[in-house]
Amino acid sequence: MLHALSFAFVDSINVLLIGVLVALAIMAAPGQYRRISPLLLLGDWLGVLVLALVVLVAFDGLQSIVDAVISSPLFGILLILTAVLTAVLTWRGGDSSELVDRILTPLRSPSPLTVLVGFTLGVIQSATSVPFYAGLAVLSASDVDTLHRYLGLFLYATAALSLPLLAGLALVVVRARPHSWIGRVFARARTNRDQVTRWSGWLVTVLLLAIGVAQIVS
């Protein structure tokens, strides 16, 4: 289970969601951020959880194939190739500010739509994340019994949202104390958003490369 969770923690480096939370903290009226951000995060968590359930059911249905891939060097090679692709995309860069602005449009006030936006973000982020699938493949191939494997999805989804959740909590402090050290950190990160995005991409690259090499060696 811990091996599977390691991929969930890599998946939690969700620059887009954290960027939305930061922008939301800047634009939200006093008292609104604390009402909107929990709904957004809840929706994202539900999106990750639902997709994780669907994927795990699919992997369990392909048990022999998943077991063969996980136990072979091919799994490590796939992770290394993903790390290389992540490095290329990070090097090329990109601006997500327009996408963030579009996402913020329905988040002006807390509503069921806020949860739906979070749910959609969670599904899309997970569906396009190789670490997300890798972690569930490891979980499917593990010797954890079926009941605890599926109950473990709640923990898996929470781990996959750990970094945005911490960022969301930190932003509460930033709004209350903008001149504190954490407020200065977020202000500097916001000013150097492209650089932060690049460093996040390089971090994911290094982690995937390390896990992939460890998988081959073991």
Side-chain angles (χ1 to χ4, degrees), residues 189-210:
R190 187 171 66 248
T191 304
N192 301 279
R193 183 169 55 187
D194 291 343
Q195 186 176 356
V196 171
T197 301
R198 284 182 177 274
W199 277 109
S200 299
W202 292 125
L203 177 59
V204 172
T205 298
V206 170
L207 291 175
L208 286 176
L209 188 62

Side-chain angles (χ1 to χ4, degrees), residues 3 7 74-84 130-131 134 205 208-209 211-213 215:
H3 189 190
F7 290 100
L74 177 61
F75 185 55
I77 293 172
L78 290 174
L79 292 176
I80 292 173
L81 290 176
T82 302
V84 172
V130 173
T205 298
L208 286 176
L209 188 62
I211 296 174
V213 170
Q215 183 70 30

Side-chain angles (χ1 to χ4, degrees), residues 117-195:
V117 170
F119 183 89
T120 303
L121 283 175
V123 171
I124 293 175
Q125 169 68 21
S126 299
T128 56
S129 170
V130 173
F132 173 80
Y133 293 106
L136 292 172
V138 169
L139 182 59
S140 177
S142 68
D143 55 1
V144 178
D145 64 88
T146 303
L147 176 61
H148 288 90
R149 192 162 67 243
Y150 280 88
L151 288 176
L153 290 180
F154 290 92
L155 181 58
Y156 189 87
T158 302
L161 205 62
S162 56
L163 192 56
L165 178 59
L166 290 174
L169 292 173
L171 285 166
V172 173
V173 178
V174 171
R175 281 175 62 90
R177 300 179 179 179
H179 301 296
S180 64
W181 69 268
I182 193 170
R184 292 194 296 271
V185 168
F186 270 91
R188 186 170 182 178
R190 187 171 66 248
T191 304
N192 301 279
R193 183 169 55 187
D194 291 343
Q195 186 176 356

Side-chain angles (χ1 to χ4, degrees), residues 5 12 14 25 29 57 71 86 90 100 102 104 116 133 137 168 172 174 177 187 193 196 199 201 206 212:
L5 288 178
S12 74
N14 188 336
V57 169
S71 60
T86 303
T90 300
V100 171
R102 289 181 182 179
L104 287 173
L116 180 59
Y133 293 106
V172 173
V174 171
R177 300 179 179 179
R193 183 169 55 187
V196 171
W199 277 109
V206 170

Side-chain angles (χ1 to χ4, degrees), residues 17-59:
L17 179 56
I18 294 174
V20 170
L21 288 171
V22 171
L24 183 61
I26 294 172
M27 76 167 197
Q32 287 288 77
Y33 176 77
R34 295 190 183 190
R35 299 174 60 194
I36 298 173
S37 58
L39 294 176
L40 181 66
L41 290 168
L42 173 62
D44 197 286
W45 182 82
L46 289 173
V48 175
L49 179 64
V50 170
L51 186 60
L53 176 60
V54 173
V55 172
L56 186 59
V57 169
F59 281 169

